[in-house]
Amino acid sequence: MKLLRVLVLIALPLYCFAGSGCSSLEEVINKTIDSQVSVEEYQNLLKSYSSGPATDEAIAQLKQCFLSQSDEILTKVGTLLVTTVSSNEL
């Protein structure tokens, strides 16, 4: 299961790097750290990246991990991701 989570997270940056733009990645990141987005909504958002039930379960577990975090942690994750993306553009 952990391997599937990693593969999902790897697939999104590669998809953006391929020339489709990174608005998809930004949307997924924002939905991932948004505590108002349900697991079902999140799975629907990532449906096109899913290769079957095992991937769907990994996506659900990934979102559930973020849902169990405090708002303070989610804010820090968002800040970290912005910093990471900004430093990669330099």
Side-chain angles (χ1 to χ4, degrees):
M1 283 295 168
K2 291 180 182 179
L3 178 61
L4 289 173
R5 287 184 209 166
V6 170
L7 292 176
V8 167
L9 292 174
I10 289 171
L12 290 172
L14 292 176
Y15 176 76
C16 288
F17 188 72
S20 65
C22 281
S23 61
S24 297
L25 179 60
E26 291 173 14
E27 180 182 12
V28 170
I29 290 170
N30 290 333
K31 298 285 185 178
T32 301
I33 61 176
D34 186 352
S35 60
Q36 302 299 315
V37 176
S38 69
V39 172
E40 185 176 294
E41 279 181 86
Y42 190 68
Q43 284 179 308
N44 287 336
L45 175 69
L46 295 174
K47 190 60 112 176
S48 62
Y49 301 103
S50 177
S51 61
T55 307
D56 291 342
E57 180 62 27
I59 289 169
Q61 288 181 11
L62 175 70
K63 179 59 181 174
Q64 190 57 50
C65 288
F66 282 94
L67 287 175
S68 64
Q69 302 302 316
S70 68
D71 287 338
E72 178 185 4
I73 296 295
L74 295 176
T75 301
K76 288 179 180 181
V77 168
T79 302
L80 174 70
L81 291 172
V82 167
T83 303
T84 303
V85 169
S86 296
S87 67
N88 286 340
E89 291 177 1
L90 296 175

mmCIF file of all heavy atoms in Angstrom, residues 23-61:
data_model
loop_
_atom_site.group_PDB
_atom_site.id
_atom_site.type_symbol
_atom_site.label_atom_id
_atom_site.label_comp_id
_atom_site.label_asym_id
_atom_site.label_seq_id
_atom_site.Cartn_x
_atom_site.Cartn_y
_atom_site.Cartn_z
ATOM 1 N N SER A 23 -1.176 23.160 -13.001
ATOM 2 C CA SER A 23 -2.420 23.483 -12.315
ATOM 3 C C SER A 23 -3.058 22.231 -11.725
ATOM 4 O O SER A 23 -3.661 22.282 -10.651
ATOM 5 C CB SER A 23 -3.396 24.197 -13.248
ATOM 6 O OG SER A 23 -3.718 23.369 -14.350
ATOM 7 N N SER A 24 -2.882 21.087 -12.383
ATOM 8 C CA SER A 24 -3.406 19.821 -11.849
ATOM 9 C C SER A 24 -2.722 19.469 -10.537
ATOM 10 O O SER A 24 -3.373 19.075 -9.577
ATOM 11 C CB SER A 24 -3.199 18.683 -12.849
ATOM 12 O OG SER A 24 -3.906 18.915 -14.025
ATOM 13 N N LEU A 25 -1.415 19.601 -10.507
ATOM 14 C CA LEU A 25 -0.660 19.294 -9.294
ATOM 15 C C LEU A 25 -1.049 20.239 -8.166
ATOM 16 O O LEU A 25 -1.262 19.804 -7.035
ATOM 17 C CB LEU A 25 0.839 19.373 -9.564
ATOM 18 C CG LEU A 25 1.752 19.102 -8.370
ATOM 19 C CD1 LEU A 25 1.519 17.701 -7.827
ATOM 20 C CD2 LEU A 25 3.203 19.279 -8.779
ATOM 21 N N GLU A 26 -1.166 21.519 -8.465
ATOM 22 C CA GLU A 26 -1.563 22.493 -7.452
ATOM 23 C C GLU A 26 -2.946 22.178 -6.906
ATOM 24 O O GLU A 26 -3.171 22.264 -5.693
ATOM 25 C CB GLU A 26 -1.530 23.901 -8.028
ATOM 26 C CG GLU A 26 -0.131 24.395 -8.318
ATOM 27 C CD GLU A 26 -0.120 25.729 -9.038
ATOM 28 O OE1 GLU A 26 -1.176 26.405 -9.080
ATOM 29 O OE2 GLU A 26 0.938 26.091 -9.565
ATOM 30 N N GLU A 27 -3.863 21.801 -7.777
ATOM 31 C CA GLU A 27 -5.212 21.457 -7.336
ATOM 32 C C GLU A 27 -5.190 20.236 -6.415
ATOM 33 O O GLU A 27 -5.843 20.225 -5.373
ATOM 34 C CB GLU A 27 -6.125 21.189 -8.534
ATOM 35 C CG GLU A 27 -7.537 20.829 -8.122
ATOM 36 C CD GLU A 27 -8.444 20.522 -9.305
ATOM 37 O OE1 GLU A 27 -7.949 20.357 -10.438
ATOM 38 O OE2 GLU A 27 -9.650 20.419 -9.065
ATOM 39 N N VAL A 28 -4.419 19.220 -6.786
ATOM 40 C CA VAL A 28 -4.333 18.010 -5.960
ATOM 41 C C VAL A 28 -3.713 18.336 -4.606
ATOM 42 O O VAL A 28 -4.205 17.880 -3.567
ATOM 43 C CB VAL A 28 -3.535 16.907 -6.681
ATOM 44 C CG1 VAL A 28 -3.225 15.757 -5.740
ATOM 45 C CG2 VAL A 28 -4.318 16.401 -7.885
ATOM 46 N N ILE A 29 -2.663 19.131 -4.593
ATOM 47 C CA ILE A 29 -2.028 19.500 -3.326
ATOM 48 C C ILE A 29 -3.017 20.263 -2.449
ATOM 49 O O ILE A 29 -3.156 19.974 -1.254
ATOM 50 C CB ILE A 29 -0.748 20.330 -3.571
ATOM 51 C CG1 ILE A 29 0.341 19.439 -4.165
ATOM 52 C CG2 ILE A 29 -0.265 20.988 -2.280
ATOM 53 C CD1 ILE A 29 1.553 20.191 -4.653
ATOM 54 N N ASN A 30 -3.706 21.238 -3.038
ATOM 55 C CA ASN A 30 -4.671 22.021 -2.265
ATOM 56 C C ASN A 30 -5.801 21.155 -1.725
ATOM 57 O O ASN A 30 -6.230 21.328 -0.583
ATOM 58 C CB ASN A 30 -5.236 23.171 -3.106
ATOM 59 C CG ASN A 30 -4.195 24.237 -3.362
ATOM 60 O OD1 ASN A 30 -3.264 24.422 -2.583
ATOM 61 N ND2 ASN A 30 -4.336 24.942 -4.469
ATOM 62 N N LYS A 31 -6.283 20.219 -2.523
ATOM 63 C CA LYS A 31 -7.351 19.317 -2.071
ATOM 64 C C LYS A 31 -6.830 18.336 -1.019
ATOM 65 O O LYS A 31 -7.565 17.930 -0.132
ATOM 66 C CB LYS A 31 -7.957 18.545 -3.239
ATOM 67 C CG LYS A 31 -8.612 19.409 -4.292
ATOM 68 C CD LYS A 31 -9.930 19.937 -3.839
ATOM 69 C CE LYS A 31 -10.582 20.690 -4.998
ATOM 70 N NZ LYS A 31 -11.878 21.211 -4.675
ATOM 71 N N THR A 32 -5.554 17.963 -1.137
ATOM 72 C CA THR A 32 -4.972 17.029 -0.175
ATOM 73 C C THR A 32 -4.921 17.646 1.211
ATOM 74 O O THR A 32 -5.259 16.991 2.196
ATOM 75 C CB THR A 32 -3.545 16.616 -0.607
ATOM 76 O OG1 THR A 32 -3.616 16.008 -1.899
ATOM 77 C CG2 THR A 32 -2.929 15.637 0.369
ATOM 78 N N ILE A 33 -4.523 18.897 1.313
ATOM 79 C CA ILE A 33 -4.380 19.527 2.620
ATOM 80 C C ILE A 33 -5.637 20.253 3.086
ATOM 81 O O ILE A 33 -5.655 20.792 4.187
ATOM 82 C CB ILE A 33 -3.160 20.474 2.648
ATOM 83 C CG1 ILE A 33 -3.303 21.600 1.633
ATOM 84 C CG2 ILE A 33 -1.886 19.698 2.446
ATOM 85 C CD1 ILE A 33 -2.179 22.620 1.689
ATOM 86 N N ASP A 34 -6.692 20.247 2.280
ATOM 87 C CA ASP A 34 -7.956 20.874 2.653
ATOM 88 C C ASP A 34 -8.795 19.903 3.478
ATOM 89 O O ASP A 34 -9.254 18.880 2.972
ATOM 90 C CB ASP A 34 -8.717 21.304 1.402
ATOM 91 C CG ASP A 34 -9.974 22.095 1.703
ATOM 92 O OD1 ASP A 34 -10.365 22.194 2.885
ATOM 93 O OD2 ASP A 34 -10.564 22.624 0.749
ATOM 94 N N SER A 35 -8.998 20.226 4.748
ATOM 95 C CA SER A 35 -9.742 19.330 5.633
ATOM 96 C C SER A 35 -11.241 19.304 5.302
ATOM 97 O O SER A 35 -11.960 18.442 5.802
ATOM 98 C CB SER A 35 -9.529 19.724 7.094
ATOM 99 O OG SER A 35 -9.971 21.042 7.323
ATOM 100 N N GLN A 36 -11.706 20.210 4.470
ATOM 101 C CA GLN A 36 -13.116 20.237 4.079
ATOM 102 C C GLN A 36 -13.424 19.276 2.923
ATOM 103 O O GLN A 36 -14.585 19.037 2.608
ATOM 104 C CB GLN A 36 -13.536 21.662 3.675
ATOM 105 C CG GLN A 36 -13.330 22.692 4.771
ATOM 106 C CD GLN A 36 -14.147 22.370 6.005
ATOM 107 O OE1 GLN A 36 -15.319 22.028 5.918
ATOM 108 N NE2 GLN A 36 -13.513 22.462 7.159
ATOM 109 N N VAL A 37 -12.401 18.760 2.279
ATOM 110 C CA VAL A 37 -12.567 17.838 1.154
ATOM 111 C C VAL A 37 -12.649 16.418 1.704
ATOM 112 O O VAL A 37 -11.755 15.967 2.413
ATOM 113 C CB VAL A 37 -11.400 17.961 0.150
ATOM 114 C CG1 VAL A 37 -11.515 16.930 -0.962
ATOM 115 C CG2 VAL A 37 -11.347 19.361 -0.430
ATOM 116 N N SER A 38 -13.716 15.723 1.376
ATOM 117 C CA SER A 38 -13.914 14.366 1.875
ATOM 118 C C SER A 38 -13.047 13.370 1.102
ATOM 119 O O SER A 38 -12.528 13.678 0.030
ATOM 120 C CB SER A 38 -15.380 13.958 1.740
ATOM 121 O OG SER A 38 -15.715 13.799 0.374
ATOM 122 N N VAL A 39 -12.924 12.181 1.664
ATOM 123 C CA VAL A 39 -12.169 11.115 1.006
ATOM 124 C C VAL A 39 -12.792 10.798 -0.352
ATOM 125 O O VAL A 39 -12.089 10.624 -1.349
ATOM 126 C CB VAL A 39 -12.107 9.852 1.897
ATOM 127 C CG1 VAL A 39 -11.502 8.680 1.142
ATOM 128 C CG2 VAL A 39 -11.317 10.127 3.159
ATOM 129 N N GLU A 40 -14.120 10.755 -0.407
ATOM 130 C CA GLU A 40 -14.815 10.441 -1.663
ATOM 131 C C GLU A 40 -14.549 11.509 -2.727
ATOM 132 O O GLU A 40 -14.277 11.182 -3.891
ATOM 133 C CB GLU A 40 -16.313 10.315 -1.420
ATOM 134 C CG GLU A 40 -17.083 9.863 -2.643
ATOM 135 C CD GLU A 40 -18.554 9.647 -2.341
ATOM 136 O OE1 GLU A 40 -18.870 8.735 -1.572
ATOM 137 O OE2 GLU A 40 -19.366 10.418 -2.893
ATOM 138 N N GLU A 41 -14.606 12.779 -2.348
ATOM 139 C CA GLU A 41 -14.306 13.858 -3.288
ATOM 140 C C GLU A 41 -12.872 13.741 -3.805
ATOM 141 O O GLU A 41 -12.611 13.952 -4.990
ATOM 142 C CB GLU A 41 -14.440 15.224 -2.602
ATOM 143 C CG GLU A 41 -15.821 15.775 -2.484
ATOM 144 C CD GLU A 41 -15.771 17.137 -1.809
ATOM 145 O OE1 GLU A 41 -15.574 18.134 -2.536
ATOM 146 O OE2 GLU A 41 -15.916 17.178 -0.585
ATOM 147 N N TYR A 42 -11.968 13.437 -2.900
ATOM 148 C CA TYR A 42 -10.551 13.322 -3.239
ATOM 149 C C TYR A 42 -10.323 12.165 -4.207
ATOM 150 O O TYR A 42 -9.589 12.303 -5.185
ATOM 151 C CB TYR A 42 -9.746 13.130 -1.950
ATOM 152 C CG TYR A 42 -8.262 13.235 -2.120
ATOM 153 C CD1 TYR A 42 -7.652 14.438 -2.445
ATOM 154 C CD2 TYR A 42 -7.443 12.129 -1.936
ATOM 155 C CE1 TYR A 42 -6.288 14.539 -2.588
ATOM 156 C CE2 TYR A 42 -6.072 12.220 -2.074
ATOM 157 C CZ TYR A 42 -5.496 13.431 -2.403
ATOM 158 O OH TYR A 42 -4.140 13.523 -2.552
ATOM 159 N N GLN A 43 -10.995 11.042 -3.955
ATOM 160 C CA GLN A 43 -10.876 9.898 -4.861
ATOM 161 C C GLN A 43 -11.424 10.243 -6.242
ATOM 162 O O GLN A 43 -10.844 9.844 -7.254
ATOM 163 C CB GLN A 43 -11.603 8.688 -4.289
ATOM 164 C CG GLN A 43 -10.848 8.014 -3.172
ATOM 165 C CD GLN A 43 -11.597 6.837 -2.599
ATOM 166 O OE1 GLN A 43 -12.759 6.952 -2.228
ATOM 167 N NE2 GLN A 43 -10.928 5.705 -2.531
ATOM 168 N N ASN A 44 -12.524 10.978 -6.289
ATOM 169 C CA ASN A 44 -13.088 11.384 -7.580
ATOM 170 C C ASN A 44 -12.127 12.299 -8.339
ATOM 171 O O ASN A 44 -11.997 12.198 -9.554
ATOM 172 C CB ASN A 44 -14.440 12.065 -7.395
ATOM 173 C CG ASN A 44 -15.530 11.087 -7.025
ATOM 174 O OD1 ASN A 44 -15.445 9.900 -7.313
ATOM 175 N ND2 ASN A 44 -16.553 11.578 -6.361
ATOM 176 N N LEU A 45 -11.445 13.176 -7.604
ATOM 177 C CA LEU A 45 -10.479 14.077 -8.220
ATOM 178 C C LEU A 45 -9.330 13.292 -8.862
ATOM 179 O O LEU A 45 -8.861 13.632 -9.945
ATOM 180 C CB LEU A 45 -9.923 15.040 -7.168
ATOM 181 C CG LEU A 45 -8.807 15.969 -7.619
ATOM 182 C CD1 LEU A 45 -9.331 17.004 -8.603
ATOM 183 C CD2 LEU A 45 -8.160 16.636 -6.429
ATOM 184 N N LEU A 46 -8.907 12.222 -8.196
ATOM 185 C CA LEU A 46 -7.761 11.444 -8.670
ATOM 186 C C LEU A 46 -8.150 10.198 -9.458
ATOM 187 O O LEU A 46 -7.297 9.358 -9.757
ATOM 188 C CB LEU A 46 -6.878 11.049 -7.480
ATOM 189 C CG LEU A 46 -6.219 12.217 -6.771
ATOM 190 C CD1 LEU A 46 -5.487 11.747 -5.530
ATOM 191 C CD2 LEU A 46 -5.275 12.946 -7.691
ATOM 192 N N LYS A 47 -9.410 10.078 -9.822
ATOM 193 C CA LYS A 47 -9.905 8.893 -10.524
ATOM 194 C C LYS A 47 -9.116 8.611 -11.805
ATOM 195 O O LYS A 47 -8.823 7.463 -12.120
ATOM 196 C CB LYS A 47 -11.391 9.068 -10.839
ATOM 197 C CG LYS A 47 -12.066 7.829 -11.352
ATOM 198 C CD LYS A 47 -11.975 6.729 -10.333
ATOM 199 C CE LYS A 47 -13.331 6.403 -9.772
ATOM 200 N NZ LYS A 47 -13.224 5.266 -8.841
ATOM 201 N N SER A 48 -8.736 9.643 -12.513
ATOM 202 C CA SER A 48 -8.017 9.430 -13.779
ATOM 203 C C SER A 48 -6.601 8.888 -13.566
ATOM 204 O O SER A 48 -6.001 8.344 -14.489
ATOM 205 C CB SER A 48 -7.955 10.725 -14.580
ATOM 206 O OG SER A 48 -7.249 11.715 -13.866
ATOM 207 N N TYR A 49 -6.067 9.014 -12.344
ATOM 208 C CA TYR A 49 -4.738 8.485 -12.044
ATOM 209 C C TYR A 49 -4.794 7.080 -11.456
ATOM 210 O O TYR A 49 -3.769 6.455 -11.261
ATOM 211 C CB TYR A 49 -4.007 9.393 -11.051
ATOM 212 C CG TYR A 49 -3.836 10.804 -11.553
ATOM 213 C CD1 TYR A 49 -4.650 11.829 -11.080
ATOM 214 C CD2 TYR A 49 -2.881 11.111 -12.499
ATOM 215 C CE1 TYR A 49 -4.498 13.126 -11.541
ATOM 216 C CE2 TYR A 49 -2.719 12.400 -12.965
ATOM 217 C CZ TYR A 49 -3.542 13.403 -12.474
ATOM 218 O OH TYR A 49 -3.391 14.679 -12.934
ATOM 219 N N SER A 50 -5.993 6.613 -11.160
ATOM 220 C CA SER A 50 -6.161 5.321 -10.499
ATOM 221 C C SER A 50 -6.102 4.175 -11.501
ATOM 222 O O SER A 50 -6.651 4.256 -12.591
ATOM 223 C CB SER A 50 -7.503 5.284 -9.768
ATOM 224 O OG SER A 50 -7.707 4.022 -9.185
ATOM 225 N N SER A 51 -5.444 3.109 -11.086
ATOM 226 C CA SER A 51 -5.357 1.941 -11.961
ATOM 227 C C SER A 51 -6.176 0.772 -11.424
ATOM 228 O O SER A 51 -6.051 -0.335 -11.928
ATOM 229 C CB SER A 51 -3.896 1.522 -12.133
ATOM 230 O OG SER A 51 -3.347 1.168 -10.886
ATOM 231 N N GLY A 52 -6.992 1.016 -10.418
ATOM 232 C CA GLY A 52 -7.826 -0.054 -9.887
ATOM 233 C C GLY A 52 -8.126 0.116 -8.414
ATOM 234 O O GLY A 52 -7.787 1.135 -7.808
ATOM 235 N N PRO A 53 -8.766 -0.894 -7.829
ATOM 236 C CA PRO A 53 -9.190 -0.814 -6.425
ATOM 237 C C PRO A 53 -8.036 -0.614 -5.440
ATOM 238 O O PRO A 53 -8.188 0.088 -4.444
ATOM 239 C CB PRO A 53 -9.876 -2.154 -6.181
ATOM 240 C CG PRO A 53 -10.236 -2.666 -7.529
ATOM 241 C CD PRO A 53 -9.228 -2.110 -8.474
ATOM 242 N N ALA A 54 -6.896 -1.218 -5.702
ATOM 243 C CA ALA A 54 -5.765 -1.053 -4.788
ATOM 244 C C ALA A 54 -5.287 0.402 -4.762
ATOM 245 O O ALA A 54 -4.979 0.950 -3.701
ATOM 246 C CB ALA A 54 -4.619 -1.976 -5.194
ATOM 247 N N THR A 55 -5.253 1.031 -5.914
ATOM 248 C CA THR A 55 -4.856 2.436 -5.988
ATOM 249 C C THR A 55 -5.912 3.317 -5.340
ATOM 250 O O THR A 55 -5.576 4.275 -4.637
ATOM 251 C CB THR A 55 -4.634 2.872 -7.450
ATOM 252 O OG1 THR A 55 -3.737 1.967 -8.070
ATOM 253 C CG2 THR A 55 -4.066 4.273 -7.526
ATOM 254 N N ASP A 56 -7.184 2.997 -5.545
ATOM 255 C CA ASP A 56 -8.263 3.751 -4.905
ATOM 256 C C ASP A 56 -8.119 3.710 -3.391
ATOM 257 O O ASP A 56 -8.299 4.716 -2.708
ATOM 258 C CB ASP A 56 -9.631 3.198 -5.306
ATOM 259 C CG ASP A 56 -9.968 3.461 -6.769
ATOM 260 O OD1 ASP A 56 -9.331 4.353 -7.375
ATOM 261 O OD2 ASP A 56 -10.860 2.776 -7.295
ATOM 262 N N GLU A 57 -7.792 2.536 -2.865
ATOM 263 C CA GLU A 57 -7.610 2.378 -1.421
ATOM 264 C C GLU A 57 -6.405 3.181 -0.942
ATOM 265 O O GLU A 57 -6.453 3.807 0.114
ATOM 266 C CB GLU A 57 -7.450 0.900 -1.061
ATOM 267 C CG GLU A 57 -7.261 0.645 0.408
ATOM 268 C CD GLU A 57 -8.418 1.086 1.280
ATOM 269 O OE1 GLU A 57 -9.573 1.122 0.786
ATOM 270 O OE2 GLU A 57 -8.177 1.403 2.463
ATOM 271 N N ALA A 58 -5.328 3.181 -1.708
ATOM 272 C CA ALA A 58 -4.138 3.955 -1.339
ATOM 273 C C ALA A 58 -4.448 5.450 -1.328
ATOM 274 O O ALA A 58 -4.002 6.177 -0.430
ATOM 275 C CB ALA A 58 -2.994 3.653 -2.297
ATOM 276 N N ILE A 59 -5.224 5.905 -2.301
ATOM 277 C CA ILE A 59 -5.622 7.308 -2.362
ATOM 278 C C ILE A 59 -6.467 7.655 -1.146
ATOM 279 O O ILE A 59 -6.278 8.704 -0.527
ATOM 280 C CB ILE A 59 -6.376 7.599 -3.679
ATOM 281 C CG1 ILE A 59 -5.405 7.547 -4.858
ATOM 282 C CG2 ILE A 59 -7.080 8.945 -3.624
ATOM 283 C CD1 ILE A 59 -6.073 7.558 -6.224
ATOM 284 N N ALA A 60 -7.394 6.781 -0.779
ATOM 285 C CA ALA A 60 -8.248 7.004 0.396
ATOM 286 C C ALA A 60 -7.405 7.071 1.666
ATOM 287 O O ALA A 60 -7.625 7.939 2.526
ATOM 288 C CB ALA A 60 -9.300 5.904 0.502
ATOM 289 N N GLN A 61 -6.435 6.184 1.793
ATOM 290 C CA GLN A 61 -5.578 6.182 2.977
ATOM 291 C C GLN A 61 -4.710 7.441 3.038
ATOM 292 O O GLN A 61 -4.503 8.006 4.117
ATOM 293 C CB GLN A 61 -4.698 4.938 2.995
ATOM 294 C CG GLN A 61 -5.453 3.679 3.314
ATOM 295 C CD GLN A 61 -4.546 2.455 3.347
ATOM 296 O OE1 GLN A 61 -3.319 2.561 3.321
ATOM 297 N NE2 GLN A 61 -5.155 1.290 3.408
#
